[in-house]
């Protein structure tokens, strides 16, 4: 929780206001729950600012994220109807690959992921949105389906004021290095340790 | 991310389904951003299930959480108008105390916090909601304004299927012990380290 105190006043020739409004590249990583959930929570703040929000969901599942998708897209519809908040688009990348790589072939998944990343690049170049969630995007990076150097280069040099949040385990070091904000979600205790499986409304 | 594998199958005489639908007590703690944000993200999933949601905000600020408040209460209004999702109530506990204790007197703050907790106890006893966010609730516990033993006792023995998420730094050990799920948000990198202050749409 910010108290408004900064550790260092940088010698970058910028005013506090200029620095304050710099576009943010955030990474939510670590082995524990909350990485995507916190990103979608941030999207609520962005919505409230009237910003255009885009979610690119890189891992598919029949049920995961459906709650967040329905709630955020409902906020997007509210914007269309009343002008309140901002617009929301939710992209599902690829046609059916999951992080466990159990469905389809690896070649298909790699092509789907590359196509998803190509769309993000186009949107960033066009400054199509103000707040981006690249959900579970670390997995295609980890598996070599999308080139890490290309991602870092593109994100670092993105034009305008576009905030980007990348989520997923095992964020590559070059991405962590490039990011302004990196949070690691670590496990203290999880119900699965006590034999409890995921449940509706909590896990999805 | 759950793969459906549990570490231990408990000898508690419950079926997986019974265990699956057990009410969850979650704690989001640690020094880093994302504790409250992830709780509000969970609230989006709860909303999508049509559950009644209550937020009790224990730390006040002119701007923090206004984005989440506006987005979640907008979802609550959508429920009233269309029946989609679930109802949302957002309580601000006390009249003006903040976690930095800079405003008002400590006596006032303690009374406000105790009153807030008394309301939560009444709501839990009445099974008024299905999903509760006790936001920044660890601070009144830490400062001795609300009794930790009373909180743990009440939460552990709450009736029905009421999910509760408590957020804030320095969660007391007895609360961590009682919780089913505990996530610690730890800092890898924060823009304030580089001299950047909080910004609209990102921090609030």
């Amino acid at each position: 929780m910010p108290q408004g105190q900064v550790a260092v006043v940088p010698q970058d020739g910028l005013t506090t206001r200029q620095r304050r409004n710099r576009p943010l590249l955030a990474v939510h990583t670590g082995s524990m729950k909350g990485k995507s959930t916190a990103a979608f929570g941030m999207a609520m703040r962005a919505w409230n600012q009237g910003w255009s929000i885009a979610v690119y969901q890189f891992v598919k599942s029949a049920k995961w994220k459906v709650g967040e998708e329905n709630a955020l897209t409902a906020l997007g519809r509210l914007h269309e109807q009343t002008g309140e908040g901002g617009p929301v688009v939710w992209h599902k990348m690829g046609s059916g690959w999951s992080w466990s790589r159990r469905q389809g072939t690896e070649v298909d998944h790699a092509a789907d992921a590359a196509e998803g990343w190509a769309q993000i690049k186009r949107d960033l170049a066009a400054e199509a949105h103000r707040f981006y969630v690249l959900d579970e995007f670390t997995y295609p990076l980890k598996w070599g389906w999308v080139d890490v150097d290309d991602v870092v280069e593109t994100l670092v040099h993105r034009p305008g004021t576009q905030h980007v949040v990348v989520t997923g385990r095992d964020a590559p070091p070059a991405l962590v290095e490039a990011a302004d904000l990196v949070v690691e979600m670590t496990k203290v205790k999880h119900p699965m340790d006590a034999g409890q499986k995921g449940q509706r409304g909590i896990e999805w």
Side-chain angles (χ1 to χ4, degrees), chain A residues 144-157:
Chain A
W145 297 346
V146 174
D147 182 62
V148 174
D149 292 342
D150 181 30
V151 168
V152 169
E153 180 73 13
T154 302
L155 292 178
V156 165
H157 295 105

Side-chain angles (χ1 to χ4, degrees), chain A residues 64-178:
Chain A
W64 292 340
K65 315 288 167 69
V66 69
E68 293 92 326
E69 179 183 356
N70 287 349
L72 273 180
T73 54
L75 288 172
R77 288 199 311 279
L78 198 65
H79 170 76
E80 285 169 26
Q81 288 157 14
T82 67
E84 192 177 353
V88 177
V89 291
W90 187 290
H91 299 288
K92 293 178 184 170
M93 316 317 292
S95 51
W97 58 280
S98 92
W99 69 293
S100 62
R101 293 198 276 185
R102 277 177 298 210
Q103 307 134 317
T105 70
E106 189 159 331
V107 173
D108 293 339
H109 300 335
D112 286 346
E115 191 182 310
W117 168 240
Q119 185 184 337
I120 294 167
K121 281 181 83 165
R122 285 192 301 270
D123 289 348
L124 286 169
E127 300 185 44
H129 306 286
R130 181 102 183 239
F131 188 87
Y132 295 74
V133 179
L134 278 49
D135 191 45
E136 314 276 16
F137 187 49
T138 58
Y139 300 97
L141 295 176
K142 183 178 175 178
W143 297 326
W145 297 346
V146 174
D147 182 62
V148 174
D149 292 342
D150 181 30
V151 168
V152 169
E153 180 73 13
T154 302
L155 292 178
V156 165
H157 295 105
R158 69 197 186 281
T161 307
Q162 303 183 90
H163 302 289
V164 179
V165 184
V166 177
T167 79
R169 295 185 189 206
D170 303 324
L175 182 62
V176 168
E177 177 63 30

Side-chain angles (χ1 to χ4, degrees), chain A residues 17-95:
Chain A
R17 173 171 293 273
Q18 285 170 323
R19 221 174 283 121
R20 187 187 280 271
N21 294 318
R22 259 193 292 191
L24 189 82
L25 173 58
V27 174
H28 293 180
T29 192
S31 61
M32 193 47 174
K33 297 161 68 75
K35 298 183 287 294
S36 299
T37 315
F40 296 128
M42 290 175 79
M44 288 198 283
R45 288 201 284 266
W47 178 84
N48 185 57
Q49 291 294 332
W51 294 354
S52 175
I53 297 165
V55 176
Y56 306 79
Q57 189 179 13
F58 273 88
V59 170
K60 301 284 291 292
S61 156
K63 56 191 179 184
W64 292 340
K65 315 288 167 69
V66 69
E68 293 92 326
E69 179 183 356
N70 287 349
L72 273 180
T73 54
L75 288 172
R77 288 199 311 279
L78 198 65
H79 170 76
E80 285 169 26
Q81 288 157 14
T82 67
E84 192 177 353
V88 177
V89 291
W90 187 290
H91 299 288
K92 293 178 184 170
M93 316 317 292
S95 51

